[in-house]
Amino acid sequence: MTDAPKDPPKNDDTAKDAAMAHDHDDRPETPEPSKENLIHFNPWRDFNDATPMEDVFGDEPDPEQIGQFMEVVFGYCDGLIPVRSFIDKGQGIDGRPHNIWIKASGAVTEKMATFANWASREGAAVYVIPGTVATSGQAKAADILQMQTVVVDIDTGDIAAKRAHLERHLGPPTMVVESGGITPEGQRKAHVWWKLTEPAEGSDIARVTRLRGDIAAKVGGDMHFRSAHQPIRVAGSVYYKNSLKTQVQIVELNADRERDLAEFIEAVADMPPAPGVNLAPDFTTPDKPRTDEVLVTPVREGGQDDWSRFEGASAAIGYFIRMVHDGRLSKDEGWEAICGYNAAMLRPQWPVERLKRESERLWALHVEKHGPPVIRLDSAAPAPDEMPTFTLGALLDDTSPMPADIIAPRVLTPGGLLVLGGAPKVGKSDLLISWLVHMAAGQPFLGFTPPRALRIFYLQAEIQYHYLRERMKQISLPPKVLAGARDNLVATPKLNLLLDAEGSVRVADAIRRSFLDAPVDIICIDPIRNLFDGGPEGGGENDNSAMMFFLKDRVEVLRDHINPDCGVILAHHTKKLSKQQVKDDPFLALSGASALRGFYTSGLILHRPDEESPQRKLEIELRNGPALAAKLIDKVKGEWVEINPMNERLVRAEMGARQDAERDRKRDVILAILLAEAANGNLYTSTQFREKFENQLGLGSQSTIRDRINVLTTKGYIRFVRDGTPFGHPIVRSRFGYLCVEGMIFGGEDRVDPDTGEVLSGTKPVLPSHYKSPSNGICLEVDDPAEWPITEDEND
């Protein structure tokens, strides 16, 4: 042991290194010594030179294990090995630290065994710095010349699981040493060693220490080993702590197992964190910097600064991930910020591949701990998703049931997108509201059927609150439908926002608050134009790139974040086309870029084939199902109804519509004449009326007038009065009587009551006594003169 100096070194370095202890089971805890308190080991000063007795309990130094340990840790190294001994705490005795420097040579095992035996008798633990220095007295990080191992100290948690994780991803280690400490769960703490194929020197030492810190971070090990001068217990020595004496034992040895440093660095970079390990460093303790300091402070490799590059990168990535998770940054903005920190603050910077891997892992940890992000608009980890592929055989053999339609038949499928287009004022929003109310109540509408009452969020940006509530109240629907939809349909008033990153966050939060118990089934956006966001380039609806950005990066991402299986309905305007163009391909009428038509799964176009007719036509185009025939619809008595297409004219439709309108005009003229003539004191039979008003007011000939009166009497617009004496007319002997219409008032001259002098009105209501049966044309008596049933469905 002639390598040991006879006197303590004449500088403070050794004293400072001896005080490197922190409160940790596998590191000594001693007060900072003075020069007088620090001595070095010299076997000639140990007068207890009796031959040691064999310890049957195995808690004495083991020269064989010491030799195996020294070979793994220093077998290829040159220079001096810093060796230390400290009194382990909990023994009730005090002692001074002892430091020696042993030459890494063939006699290193004998010298280390001698020192371990002496330390054992003193109740002291034996440590080495796993690297060599040039001269005695050196033991600082900057003094380390060679290191040939990578070590991780696992001293907390599930030791066995962490060791298994390391072996699974890094392969079997060269050596595993049980340090003597025991965790509160009863597991033995361990040092796991990997021997390198050659000693690391120069800049490679910084790579080794960084590697030690990275491994420790990923398995929850001791992060102090990111420093090159961190001491560690020697296998084969004795552990004294808290009245426990045991041997530091090698429990696994693969002496021929060596690793190339570059390959090992790649393997560690690819290794994911052990289950339950959070890579975000703790910068909340008083002696650690704040996150805002980390973001603006450069950090160099090799543990030269207050924190490592790994800690700095993890803190920065964690900070920007929280920003993305909270919806304050998009994915692209967060990734750009992470890359900016890497380029500006890490010296040298990390490779982009490693930065991506760490970002993905920290993202997955954050989502696991804090739940889904506020909006997944751009907030996904930067890794590309694996592309699903299926063979023809797999598709043919898959007999699983088809997913249930959100709106049958295949009009809106899970995850589908439906576009409802229509010109302004065609009734598109009115139709949409009625449709949504029915779906929210679980009731069919125009042949579209929901499987149950659906939860619907109606994001509309056209109608202000008071007019929205007025319109909702004007919906003429059965009370059962309205009652069923009360809580399932949630609508917004007119919103002044775009569906951009910030707007999406607000919408997602509103949807989540509206449906706390179960996810939404349909998100309806009305109209696209008022909420359109064309992306960074600011393109409009006519730009295909902008439209695709809105559909994929706004609408789809919002849907995927809220509920990937919910359906989306977009209300959109149409442009003006000729009637022939609409007839040939109605979906060409959709405003904006053609990309919209190629993207949706269902398309509906509402239009008027004839501008003079109230009827609308609903064209339907499906991607996920068989074609559906167009529907002819109209609003009758406040409700949308489907009209039997068999009743639609196929030949000379425009001419027929004009003739229908002419017949309606003649009806209105005849009824108006009868009311006016009665007010003037005149009543007419059918014959008298057609004779007097032939060729007047466009009524045509007597035969034309007769035909129109016959139709009107059959339908109930005209009834009859047999007794005309109350109005100064004789009783009619004919089959029917005088013509009478609803609300008819007979006018007469006012007269004065001779007894009272009161002026009495000469007007009298004309009430029918008979009507023409619509079934057989027989003249029947009226049961209730106040009732006027009309036998055709018209809203006149």
Side-chain angles (χ1 to χ4, degrees):
M1 298 296 293
T2 56
D3 299 68
K6 295 181 180 180
D7 297 304
K10 301 301 182 180
N11 57 57
D12 292 337
D13 292 340
T14 307
K16 292 179 180 177
D17 287 339
M20 278 184 54
H22 301 275
D23 189 11
H24 188 284
D25 282 349
D26 290 334
R27 288 188 304 279
E29 180 183 67
T30 60
E32 183 172 344
S34 64
K35 290 183 180 180
E36 293 74 14
N37 193 40
L38 177 64
I39 67 172
H40 76 266
F41 165 75
N42 190 320
W44 294 105
R45 295 176 181 173
D46 183 8
F47 298 101
N48 186 4
D49 55 359
T51 302
M53 298 178 61
E54 182 179 356
D55 182 16
V56 297
F57 296 104
D59 54 3
E60 292 297 327
D62 183 348
E64 183 181 358
Q65 291 194 58
I66 291 175
Q68 293 169 340
F69 176 86
M70 299 303 287
E71 176 62 27
V72 170
V73 182
F74 301 104
Y76 298 148
C77 291
D78 296 321
L80 299 178
I81 303 169
V83 184
R84 303 170 179 179
S85 70
F86 299 91
I87 300 296
D88 276 332
K89 66 180 181 178
Q91 301 183 72
I93 60 174
D94 294 327
R96 293 173 293 175
H98 297 71
N99 300 318
I100 65 172
W101 281 258
I102 299 176
K103 186 176 181 180
S105 64
V108 67
T109 298
E110 179 185 352
K111 294 177 181 180
M112 180 58 73
T114 301
F115 184 77
N117 281 320
W118 175 85
S120 175
R121 290 193 293 271
E122 294 291 322
V126 180
Y127 296 82
V128 294
I129 293 176
T132 56
V133 297
T135 61
S136 296
Q138 293 181 340
K140 294 185 296 185
D143 298 330
I144 305 300
L145 297 180
Q146 291 184 332
M147 301 183 79
Q148 72 173 47
T149 56
V150 177
V151 62
V152 60
D153 178 6
I154 309 175
D155 51 8
T156 59
D158 190 341
I159 307 295
K162 293 180 179 181
R163 283 180 54 187
H165 182 81
L166 289 171
E167 185 164 347
R168 183 182 309 115
H169 294 281
L170 303 182
T174 307
M175 179 173 63
V176 178
V177 176
E178 288 185 351
S179 61
I182 300 177
T183 67
E185 296 80 14
Q187 296 199 38
R188 294 187 179 276
K189 302 178 181 181
H191 303 155
V192 182
W193 296 85
W194 292 269
K195 186 178 180 179
L196 301 176
T197 55
E198 59 183 357
E201 299 177 338
S203 61
D204 282 344
I205 291 179
R207 299 172 72 193
V208 169
T209 54
R210 182 194 70 194
L211 201 56
R212 299 197 313 187
D214 289 358
I215 297 173
K218 291 187 176 183
V219 296
D222 183 2
M223 292 298 296
H224 289 88
F225 283 89
R226 70 183 186 273
S227 300
H229 63 306
Q230 179 64 32
I232 192 166
R233 291 182 187 268
V234 175
S237 66
V238 180
Y239 172 97
Y240 297 91
K241 189 175 279 191
N242 300 321
S243 300
L244 173 65
K245 179 183 178 184
T246 187
Q247 192 179 84
V248 181
Q249 292 186 342
I250 297 176
V251 295
E252 182 179 344
L253 181 64
N254 304 296
D256 59 345
R257 178 68 172 170
E258 298 179 353
R259 301 299 299 267
D260 177 78
L261 178 58
E263 293 178 355
F264 198 44
I265 289 174
E266 292 182 3
V268 172
D270 291 335
M271 179 179 70
V277 173
N278 188 349
L279 289 183
D282 180 13
F283 281 155
T284 60
T285 54
D287 60 337
K288 294 294 183 180
R290 300 188 307 271
T291 301
D292 56 352
E293 294 177 348
V294 173
L295 295 177
V296 296
T297 304
V299 55
R300 297 164 293 177
E301 66 178 355
Q304 301 178 57
D305 303 294
D306 291 338
W307 59 90
S308 69
R309 290 192 309 155
F310 183 83
E311 287 178 310
S314 296
I317 292 172
Y319 171 76
F320 293 119
I321 277 176
R322 288 192 297 272
M323 296 281 285
V324 173
H325 189 272
D326 295 342
R328 291 175 287 172
L329 289 179
S330 69
K331 176 195 69 176
D332 292 337
E333 292 167 339
W335 176 242
E336 183 179 350
I338 291 171
C339 292
Y341 171 85
N342 182 46
M345 296 300 155
L346 298 189
R347 312 286 174 78
Q349 59 183 287
W350 276 4
V352 174
E353 292 75 15
R354 185 181 185 192
L355 203 64
K356 283 185 177 181
R357 284 195 296 266
E358 295 301 329
S359 298
E360 294 164 13
R361 290 167 186 167
L362 287 177
W363 173 262
L365 269 172
H366 194 79
V367 171
E368 180 181 356
K369 183 176 181 180
H370 299 285
V374 171
I375 180 67
R376 237 178 52 180
L377 193 71
D378 280 312
S379 51
D385 295 332
E386 182 180 352
M387 181 180 295
T389 58
F390 304 96
T391 65
L392 173 62
L395 296 173
L396 295 175
D397 295 340
D398 188 353
T399 58
S400 59
M402 296 295 293
D405 295 339
I406 298 176
I407 300 177
R410 301 288 179 90
V411 175
L412 187 59
T413 53
L417 178 70
L418 183 151
V419 174
L420 171 62
K425 308 304 180 183
V426 76
K428 175 177 72 273
S429 292
D430 193 273
L431 173 71
L432 180 59
I433 291 174
S434 295
W435 190 7
L436 295 180
V437 171
H438 278 82
M439 298 300 100
Q443 300 296 320
F445 178 77
L446 300 179
F448 304 137
T449 307
R452 53 174 173 78
L454 302 177
R455 295 172 292 275
I456 302 173
F457 188 85
Y458 182 33
L459 176 66
Q460 68 91 27
E462 277 193 326
I463 309 172
Q464 295 173 329
Y465 169 77
H466 294 291
Y467 306 100
L468 176 65
R469 66 184 178 94
E470 180 183 54
R471 176 171 289 191
M472 292 295 187
K473 293 177 181 179
Q474 290 174 347
I475 296 177
S476 180
L477 294 175
K480 178 182 178 181
V481 173
L482 293 174
R486 286 184 67 89
D487 298 324
N488 288 334
L489 176 59
V490 177
T492 66
K494 180 179 181 180
L495 298 175
N496 295 316
L497 61 78
L498 293 178
L499 201 62
D500 53 12
E502 180 181 356
S504 297
V505 171
R506 294 176 59 189
V507 171
D509 183 60
I511 296 174
R512 190 178 291 110
R513 285 186 285 105
S514 299
F515 301 101
L516 298 175
D517 299 331
V520 69
D521 295 307
I522 296 177
I523 301 172
C524 181
I525 299 174
D526 180 17
I528 290 178
R529 179 175 300 169
N530 292 8
L531 296 161
F532 187 82
D533 173 35
E537 303 300 326
E541 295 175 66
N542 295 318
D543 186 327
N544 275 315
S545 297
M547 178 61 75
M548 289 301 293
F549 176 88
F550 177 73
L551 296 173
K552 292 178 66 67
D553 290 65
R554 295 301 185 231
V555 176
E556 274 203 335
V557 170
L558 175 65
R559 178 201 64 200
D560 291 346
H561 169 69
I562 296 301
N563 177 14
D565 291 329
C566 79
V568 176
I569 297 177
L570 302 180
H572 196 36
H573 296 302
T574 55
K575 54 192 174 185
K576 290 185 177 180
L577 295 178
S578 67
K579 291 184 178 181
Q580 186 60 40
Q581 287 176 309
V582 174
K583 182 179 180 181
D584 293 341
D585 191 347
F587 294 93
L588 288 176
L590 286 172
S591 294
S594 59
L596 177 61
R597 186 178 184 185
F599 195 84
Y600 61 64
T601 57
S602 304
L604 280 73
I605 296 292
L606 183 68
H607 67 100
R608 275 197 177 99
D610 184 352
E611 293 299 326
E612 296 181 359
S613 171
Q615 295 177 355
R616 286 86 157 176
K617 200 168 189 179
L618 190 63
E619 308 282 353
I620 306 171
E621 182 178 53
L622 301 183
R623 296 272 191 273
N624 294 340
L628 295 181
K631 294 178 180 289
L632 189 65
I633 61 175
D634 198 1
K635 201 169 186 183
V636 177
K637 296 181 180 178
E639 290 190 48
W640 290 94
V641 296
E642 184 176 1
I643 298 172
N644 190 339
M646 296 298 293
N647 299 331
E648 184 181 7
R649 288 188 178 94
L650 301 179
V651 180
R652 305 185 70 182
E654 293 185 8
M655 177 62 71
R658 286 197 293 270
Q659 291 174 348
D660 290 342
E662 175 61 15
R663 283 189 286 269
D664 290 343
R665 186 194 68 81
K666 289 179 179 178
R667 174 199 62 198
D668 295 338
V669 169
I670 291 173
L671 297 180
I673 291 174
L674 290 173
L675 287 172
E677 288 295 316
N680 291 327
N682 301 316
L683 296 178
Y684 297 92
T685 64
S686 175
T687 302
Q688 290 171 327
F689 184 88
R690 63 177 182 262
E691 289 176 351
K692 181 173 181 178
F693 294 101
E694 181 183 29
N695 291 327
Q696 294 187 29
L697 301 175
L699 291 180
S701 64
Q702 289 192 45
S703 61
T704 300
I705 297 175
R706 181 187 65 235
D707 292 341
R708 298 313 309 153
I709 289 178
N710 287 339
V711 170
L712 294 176
T713 54
T714 298
K715 291 185 175 181
Y717 286 99
I718 296 176
R719 292 189 172 189
F720 306 100
V721 179
R722 283 274 184 89
D723 186 3
T725 54
F727 311 104
H729 292 267
I731 297 175
V732 177
R733 302 294 182 185
S734 67
R735 179 182 175 191
F736 292 105
Y738 299 104
L739 303 177
C740 174
V741 299
E742 186 176 11
M744 178 180 282
I745 300 296
F746 186 83
E749 296 181 357
D750 294 339
R751 60 186 181 85
V752 178
D753 189 322
D755 298 329
T756 62
E758 180 182 0
V759 178
L760 301 176
S761 174
T763 60
K764 299 178 183 179
V766 182
L767 300 177
S769 60
H770 295 77
Y771 71 98
K772 182 180 179 181
S773 172
S775 58
N776 52 28
I778 298 175
C779 185
L780 302 175
E781 291 187 4
V782 172
D783 295 329
D784 185 355
E787 291 186 2
W788 283 81
I790 307 264
T791 59
E792 69 176 3
D793 294 331
E794 294 193 36
N795 237 357
D796 301 295

